[in-house]
Amino acid sequence: MHDIDAQPFAFSLNFARTALLIIDMQRDFVEPGGFGESLGNRVEPLQSIVPTVLQVLTHWRKRGGLVVHTRESHAPDLSDCPPAKRMRGSPQLRIGDVGPMGRILVRGEPGNQIVEELAPVVGELVIDKPGKGAFYGTDLMAHLQLRGITQLVVMGVTTEVCVQSSMREANDRGFDCLLVEDGTASYFPEFKAATLAMIIAQGGIVGWTCLAKDLLEAV
Ligand code: C5J
């Protein structure tokens, strides 16, 4: 067991039973021209975490731990995209429209791929998810159960949307979740701060948070 300096109290990490879960570090969210920017957001806060996510990912790979990447993505015929999701807001480009990196949030399109620096390697799981949470409409739970995983170290974007949804889904399924504070980002810094506070409130009602350096030091 590794004791990690975390909030609201130390996290005891059992490496053999822990997966690194990296949420939606896709070009569609992180790079100019994707879905995130089409909604009117500045992508710089998301780009700024790539080096930290890479540092933790590289360490996890060296240690031989399980790595799971997710992508928010839809089938080319959009049969898994509820009209309510497609029509929400007034983006310059909607899900399925053709943008500078191909069709927005559609599987197989260039913009839907994970950013080059963090690209999955052989042996890592890649979960395509039609919702915000990583468990909804996916076989993630079966993959984790098969490998005896009970704890998740979580990074990725955006903190208050897909990261938080995934952590809440995981929490309800019995996983202990540790979110890396400097390995997650939002287009809205105040939403990131609020989400971190919510997660650790009431004795860790959703999970724990820590800094990448404390995770790397301990594991
Ligand atoms: C959003 C995500 N924000 N990955 N997706 O629509 O958080």
Side-chain angles (χ1 to χ4, degrees):
M1 295 297 258
H2 307 275
D3 273 341
I4 298 164
D5 192 5
Q7 300 295 330
F9 51 87
F11 185 90
S12 286
L13 188 146
N14 179 346
F15 192 79
R17 290 188 165 268
T18 305
L20 181 64
L21 178 63
I22 306 179
I23 303 289
D24 300 359
M25 289 300 292
Q26 299 161 241
R27 300 183 65 200
D28 265 327
F29 294 111
V30 177
E31 293 184 7
F35 185 56
E37 198 183 62
S38 85
L39 291 164
N41 300 305
R42 282 180 52 250
V43 295
E44 287 81 0
L46 278 61
Q47 289 178 323
S48 75
I49 65 164
V50 171
T52 304
V53 176
L54 179 60
Q55 202 184 3
V56 175
L57 174 61
T58 303
H59 187 79
W60 214 263
R61 282 173 174 161
K62 276 192 196 136
R63 293 273 334 253
L66 177 64
V67 177
V68 183
H69 305 261
T70 68
R71 296 185 292 213
E72 185 173 348
S73 64
H74 294 280
D77 65 1
L78 302 186
S79 54
D80 56 1
C81 181
K85 181 176 181 185
R86 184 170 143 75
M87 299 315 289
R88 195 76 52 79
S90 48
Q92 288 159 8
L93 292 168
R94 293 188 186 281
I95 295 169
D97 289 350
V98 179
M101 296 188 289
R103 293 181 68 204
I104 297 283
L105 282 197
V106 169
R107 255 164 245 153
E109 298 288 334
N112 205 235
Q113 306 311 311
I114 290 164
V115 296
E116 203 181 333
E117 299 92 314
L118 307 174
V121 299
V122 175
E124 296 177 350
L125 293 175
V126 180
I127 303 287
D128 283 307
K129 61 183 185 58
K132 303 303 182 193
F135 292 82
Y136 169 72
T138 73
D139 52 9
L140 177 58
M141 184 69 190
H143 281 294
L144 298 177
Q145 275 179 330
L146 192 69
R147 292 162 175 82
I149 298 296
T150 59
Q151 299 182 320
L152 300 172
V153 169
V154 184
M155 301 190 291
V157 299
T158 61
T159 317
E160 77 281 11
V161 185
C162 291
V163 171
Q164 179 168 212
S165 292
S166 299
M167 282 186 72
R168 288 177 182 273
E169 286 185 336
N171 192 44
D172 284 347
R173 285 165 175 77
F175 295 92
D176 284 330
C177 299
L178 175 63
L179 176 61
V180 181
E181 292 178 29
D182 42 350
T184 184
S186 167
Y187 301 115
F188 309 94
E190 67 276 23
F191 289 175
K192 172 176 171 176
T195 304
L196 297 179
M198 270 179 228
I199 284 168
I200 63 170
Q202 302 174 75
I205 198 151
V206 179
W208 287 255
T209 66
C210 75
L211 293 172
K213 74 171 177 50
D214 292 323
L215 174 68
L216 295 172
E217 236 172 66
V219 177

